[in-house]
Amino acid sequence: MATELSTARIGATGTWGVLRGAVGRWFRWRGIARIVLWVAAINGLVYMTVVTANMPFGGLGYETLINVLAIFPPLAAIIAAEATVLGEYRSGVASWTISKPVPRSGYVAGKLLGLWVGMSLASVVLPGLVAYWWLPKVTPYRFVRPEAPPLDSFVGALLTLCLVVGFFIMLTALLATLIRRRGAVALIAIVAFFLLRVPLRNVWSDWDRFTPSGLISNDLVGWSSLTLSLIHI
């Protein structure tokens, strides 16, 4: 019993070290540069979509922001997860790490959780909060000035999108352990992403109320909406 507890404690310490290292990379110079690029890219795209005649992502203002955040971060997460799992598997880093007192499951969980935290922060939370601040201050190309939704509803939508990012990270990691062929893993995950984006409004007319865009409307703020929105990307 004592030996098992000691092994579990050592494994947990190693897993925490892997997680801390994966998250810490986002707070170094290269990670900070990625965060800045994500914030600039998302907000620049939303700005150009709102103030010009080209509106490829649906409605104006915050609906446009949610649609952008529902497309690009999950796709980037798929590519990053594939590179994380397959890249380290082929380079031998994963084998070396697992040979140390870090269980395989702990190593994978630490790397993927670190990737999820970094991707969610860089591509969803920070760009979303920055856009929440400046969107009501711009003059749109048409219709009315965007009106900020309640902050709790908006934060709920961002958290839902973070869970969506985590879902596709886990899906890609699962595929990578089964296929181990770069390119094929990302292709399958991307196809799954677009299949899951098929709207279900044809089956249920009120479905749009339970999407991330529905979370920022004033008529649906409850916790049940946050749970049901996970089904629709």
Side-chain angles (χ1 to χ4, degrees):
M1 178 65 70
T3 303
E4 294 178 354
L5 290 176
S6 177
T7 302
R9 187 180 300 109
I10 294 174
T13 302
T15 301
W16 171 250
V18 173
L19 173 60
R20 186 174 57 183
V23 174
R25 292 180 180 178
W26 289 90
F27 296 97
R28 299 171 187 169
W29 286 112
R30 183 176 296 182
I32 294 174
R34 292 177 181 176
I35 293 175
V36 172
L37 286 175
W38 268 109
V39 173
I42 294 294
N43 283 269
L45 181 59
V46 173
Y47 178 81
M48 294 302 298
T49 304
V50 170
V51 302
T52 64
N54 299 317
M55 297 181 294
F57 299 105
L60 291 171
Y62 290 91
E63 184 179 351
T64 299
L65 172 64
I66 293 297
N67 287 333
V68 170
L69 293 177
I71 294 175
F72 294 104
L75 292 177
I78 289 173
I79 304 301
E82 182 193 54
T84 297
V85 177
L86 292 183
E88 295 195 5
Y89 173 80
R90 293 187 176 183
S91 65
V93 175
S95 298
W96 181 86
T97 305
I98 293 171
S99 66
K100 304 301 179 181
V102 180
R104 182 182 298 272
S105 58
Y107 172 78
V108 174
K111 295 294 291 186
L112 296 181
L113 281 175
L115 176 62
W116 175 61
V117 171
M119 286 293 302
S120 298
L121 179 67
S123 63
V124 177
V125 177
L126 290 180
L129 293 178
V130 170
Y132 184 85
W133 170 75
W134 65 259
L135 263 175
K137 306 178 187 301
V138 301
T139 301
Y141 173 75
R142 59 181 64 177
F143 303 117
V144 298
R145 188 185 302 272
E147 181 180 353
L151 182 58
D152 56 350
S153 301
F154 185 74
V155 171
L158 293 183
L159 293 178
T160 300
L161 292 171
C162 290
L163 293 177
V164 171
V165 169
F167 169 79
F168 283 102
I169 288 176
M170 297 302 297
L171 175 63
T172 305
L174 176 62
L175 293 172
T177 59
L178 297 176
I179 300 176
R180 294 182 180 178
R181 292 188 61 183
R182 181 169 293 183
V185 171
L187 178 61
I188 296 174
I190 290 173
V191 169
F193 168 79
F194 284 105
L195 288 177
L196 290 175
R197 281 189 59 83
V198 174
L200 297 182
R201 63 177 60 93
N202 295 331
V203 179
W204 184 20
S205 60
D206 291 333
W207 179 259
D208 287 339
R209 299 182 60 194
F210 299 95
T211 64
S213 296
L215 280 171
I216 65 173
S217 63
N218 292 325
D219 60 343
L220 187 63
V221 188
W223 179 257
S224 61
S225 65
L226 178 60
T227 304
L228 292 175
S229 63
L230 298 179
I231 306 175
H232 183 268
I233 308 303

